[in-house]
Amino acid sequence: MARKKKTRKISDVMPMRKADKKPEMPKRSGKKLTRYELDAKAREDKKKRKHKGLASGSRHSAGESNLNKLQQETKDPKIGSKKKIPLVVEFVNKPEKGQVIPAVKPLKKMDPMQELENLENNEILNELLDALDEGKTLSKADQQFVDECLARIAELMDELGIEEEENDDDLYRTFEKIDINQFR
């Protein structure tokens, strides 16, 4: 009769021991664990602590994986782009597809006398000046428009050599010369 070596493997024939069973941790809210559950948990923790180290033969494969990780982390998607970059810039303001850049029309310089006449006959400017004479306050945009127009009129008058002299005596004389019947 041949001798069989004793093993500690659990087979179907042998009953399972309490120590070999995996503890089933019931989820209890607020209740203490039983002595048996605490012992089973302590055994599992001890097994985890016992096998802290790395698995055998892992020293060579760990080094390779670290190198691979470093290469993956430092890889920049911008480096090594296959997109061609032109060395000479040909079109600085090239419009995108479907867009057209309109040509800038050069401003025609008006005759100073004509421009002065247009400014003096400007209805909007005259209405705003009348409102100022009445004592009304203008909005910021309107006041800026009036200031710009008056400044341009002054420039044009200096350019043309026209001097504006209004004295009280001159106004009185023009008032006397006016025929009121004309305006009826």
Side-chain angles (χ1 to χ4, degrees), residues 6-11 14:
K6 291 184 180 179
T7 62
R8 292 188 179 245
K9 292 183 181 178
I10 298 172
S11 63
M14 294 175 61

Side-chain angles (χ1 to χ4, degrees), residues 109-121 152-153 155-163:
K109 196 165 189 180
M110 264 197 228
D111 181 40
M113 193 64 184
Q114 180 68 30
E115 189 176 354
L116 181 64
E117 201 172 303
N118 288 344
L119 284 171
E120 287 176 347
N121 294 332
R152 183 64 184 151
I153 288 172
E155 286 175 17
L156 290 171
M157 290 178 76
D158 287 343
E159 189 178 317
L160 294 171
I162 301 172
E163 293 182 13

